[in-house]
Amino acid sequence: MSQPADLVINARWVIPVEPANLTLEHHAVVIRGGKIMDLLPQELARTRYRADRSISLSDHVLIPGLVNLHAHSPMALMRGIADDLPLMRWLQEAIWPTEGKHVSNAFVREGTLLAIAEMLRGGITTCNEMYFHPAAAAEAFDLLGMRAVIGLTTLEFPTPYASDADDYLRKGLAARDAWKNHPLIGFALAPHAPYTVSDATFVRIAALAAELDIPIHTHIHETAQEVADSIAQFGKRPLARLAGLDLLGENFIGVHAVHLDDSDIELLQRHHCSIAHCPTSNMKLASGIAPLARLQAADILTGLGTDGAASNNRLDLFQEIRHASLLAKVSTLDATTLPAHAALRMATLNGARALGLGDRIGSIEAGKAADLCAIALDTFETRPCFNPASHLVHVAGREHVSHVWVAGEIRVDKGNAVLQLNDTELLGFAALWQTRLSN
Ligand SMILES: [Zn+2]
């Protein structure tokens, strides 16, 4: 007796990510109720399952949907407003003044909608988000059907969104209360950075994270100046300061982690912290190169993030995979560092595990959500293909993404977005904000 299924995807290659280093040929992924039921050879799938629909991806590689472990989605509206500046000048001269003038519910909602369309088209199915107005972000992720962990951003200083740390937390927690039961949306506490958040607020955030059992998502050790300033002000490196405030733990996601000494790596290892590596942003702001090989040698879980579109300027995880691989090799002068399958794992399962979602997404395994991405390898530049994992890291890009599913729902079909808003509506938001930001 064959079992009923909603959809069978027959793919030329499947890289399930778990087990590691595996590329399957002529396999099928069987989906029912938004979840993966089975992954098996195509001829077995034909006898064991009767599906309402089936799709043949005869020149494609199917991988888990990509997990963007660090983004500020609404900054899509500020793409290219300030290039060629180091982090603190970029923040103080360009980003913070623009945000002070323009950030609103509508800015966040419409900027996030644009970013979601870009990310889904590029194979990203989950985003770890950090910005203001978390309820407006939740509305956007809900409308376009993308999975997200939304940061409850906290700063000490006032912005148009909130007046002080208590106000940020109060508004953030209210947004979480309103959206916490949504099947695709989760939340994290997101203190912006050690240099913008006080000890007292960090202590409160550590307690809240434990009480609510959610991640803590924060920028750390992004620049050498940040580390030097912390030593001058607190007598400690930022990670040592956070450790002293009981902030480090399995639920801690540190973003960037560029400037790390042995004591920092020992702290991250001892507390089982995760790192969101953002290689393009680190290059563009000239922050430095995160010591990925040392982090991985210490078994510190490391995923990949795009950061915001004002410091990248693409929300393109294929670019991050490639940059991570190349930077890891050249910075160690060791070409064996970060092979293709390991780079793909960073962009999928590692990110999922860092978010506490490792049992639900990040690999193509029975029981997990059907968050999937197909890449067409049928073009001049992708043929011949001897090793699809190598092609995904070094040849293919987001322009080769052909199909994307989130929880079994199709979001990209033959390269075209299938969303609640059409391209004209989305481009209308971009035009509107271009006019407003230009005045
Ligand atoms: Zn960031």
Side-chain angles (χ1 to χ4, degrees):
M1 271 286 284
S2 59
Q3 295 182 58
D6 297 334
L7 174 66
V8 171
I9 305 169
N10 295 293
R12 173 70 179 82
W13 297 283
V14 178
I15 297 178
V17 175
E18 182 67 37
N21 305 318
L22 183 66
T23 303
L24 301 166
E25 293 193 58
H26 304 293
H27 270 57
V29 174
V30 183
I31 297 167
R32 188 174 183 196
K35 289 190 170 178
I36 298 164
M37 280 179 88
D38 209 342
L39 166 60
L40 72 175
Q42 289 171 12
E43 62 272 20
L44 282 180
R46 277 191 285 276
T47 59
R48 288 191 192 165
Y49 297 96
R50 54 178 196 285
D52 295 341
R53 284 170 296 133
S54 71
I55 175 168
S56 175
L57 302 175
S58 53
D59 298 295
H60 305 61
V61 52
L62 189 69
I63 63 173
L66 302 177
V67 177
N68 187 354
L69 195 54
H70 179 63
H72 311 283
S73 288
M75 295 180 95
L77 297 176
M78 295 191 282
R79 194 190 307 263
I81 64 163
D83 294 339
D84 312 322
L85 291 172
L87 176 69
M88 288 319 294
R89 285 189 60 203
W90 176 81
L91 281 172
Q92 289 167 355
E93 295 173 22
I95 299 303
W96 286 341
T98 307
E99 289 181 336
K101 219 170 135 187
H102 293 288
V103 166
S104 64
N105 246 304
F107 180 95
V108 171
R109 182 176 175 276
E110 292 165 15
T112 304
L113 289 168
L114 265 180
I116 291 170
E118 177 183 359
M119 289 192 280
L120 286 171
R121 283 273 291 271
I124 299 169
T125 53
T126 299
C127 179
N128 187 31
E129 178 61 27
M130 181 197 283
Y131 209 68
F132 308 108
H133 296 282
E139 273 180 46
F141 284 104
D142 169 60
L143 181 64
L144 299 192
M146 180 171 173
R147 199 178 299 277
V149 174
I150 298 173
L152 310 181
T153 300
T154 307
L155 298 160
E156 299 297 337
F157 58 81
T159 61
Y161 166 57
S163 57
D164 58 18
D166 281 349
D167 196 27
Y168 285 94
L169 283 170
R170 190 174 52 75
K171 286 176 172 155
L173 293 169
R176 177 179 174 271
D177 282 343
W179 287 92
K180 66 185 175 188
N181 295 322
H182 193 286
L184 298 180
I185 295 173
F187 291 88
L189 288 150
H192 171 262
Y195 55 90
T196 50
V197 176
S198 70
D199 283 5
T201 301
F202 274 128
V203 167
R204 189 164 166 221
I205 282 172
L208 276 170
E211 181 192 325
L212 304 175
D213 192 23
I214 59 177
I216 296 172
H217 172 197
T218 192
H219 299 98
I220 49 155
H221 291 228
E222 182 171 0
T223 63
Q225 191 65 45
E226 173 193 337
V227 178
D229 289 349
S230 176
I231 292 168
Q233 190 181 350
F234 300 100
K236 287 177 184 173
R237 298 169 69 80
L239 272 168
R241 176 177 159 230
L242 297 191
L245 300 171
D246 278 337
L247 213 75
L248 303 189
E250 250 182 27
N251 63 341
F252 182 90
I253 304 164
V255 180
H256 299 307
V258 172
H259 296 275
L260 301 177
D261 69 9
D262 289 345
S263 73
D264 300 319
I265 290 188
E266 195 273 328
L267 276 176
L268 292 169
Q269 183 183 41
R270 175 156 31 112
H271 293 282
H272 306 285
C273 301
S274 301
I275 295 300
H277 178 38
C278 304
T280 308
S281 174
N282 297 156
M283 285 194 276
K284 185 161 184 287
L285 295 169
S287 300
I289 303 173
L292 186 64
R294 284 165 62 214
L295 287 165
Q296 295 201 328
D299 279 330
I300 294 161
L301 189 65
T302 313
L304 287 175
T306 57
D307 213 349
S311 68
N312 187 311
N313 297 350
R314 299 159 68 107
L315 305 179
D316 177 357
L317 221 50
F318 281 93
Q319 173 173 263
E320 302 309 317
I321 292 170
R322 184 145 180 262
H323 282 164
S325 170
L326 297 177
L327 273 181
K329 293 174 192 305
V330 74
S331 63
T332 55
L333 299 180
D334 178 358
T336 66
T337 307
L338 199 66
H341 277 286
L344 290 173
R345 192 177 182 88
M346 286 180 72
T348 52
L349 189 56
N350 285 8
R353 288 175 57 203
L355 292 170
L357 299 174
D359 58 341
R360 291 171 54 191
I361 56 168
S363 58
I364 302 179
E365 294 180 89
K368 284 197 172 181
D371 287 13
L372 300 165
C373 168
I375 300 95
L377 301 179
D378 58 356
T379 50
F380 296 131
E381 68 275 17
T382 56
R383 288 292 182 88
C385 178
F386 304 105
N387 178 346
S390 162
H391 267 28
L392 289 180
V393 175
H394 296 294
V395 179
R398 64 179 178 184
E399 67 274 22
H400 298 102
V401 169
S402 63
H403 296 74
V404 175
W405 291 265
V406 177
E409 298 289 332
I410 194 137
R411 299 288 174 239
V412 177
D413 187 8
K414 298 191 181 93
N416 300 309
V418 184
L419 302 173
Q420 287 296 317
L421 296 175
N422 64 36
D423 290 4
T424 308
E425 291 168 302
L426 290 164
L427 289 170
F429 296 137
L432 179 78
W433 287 101
Q434 171 144 17
T435 306
R436 287 185 183 161
L437 265 65
S438 302
N439 292 323

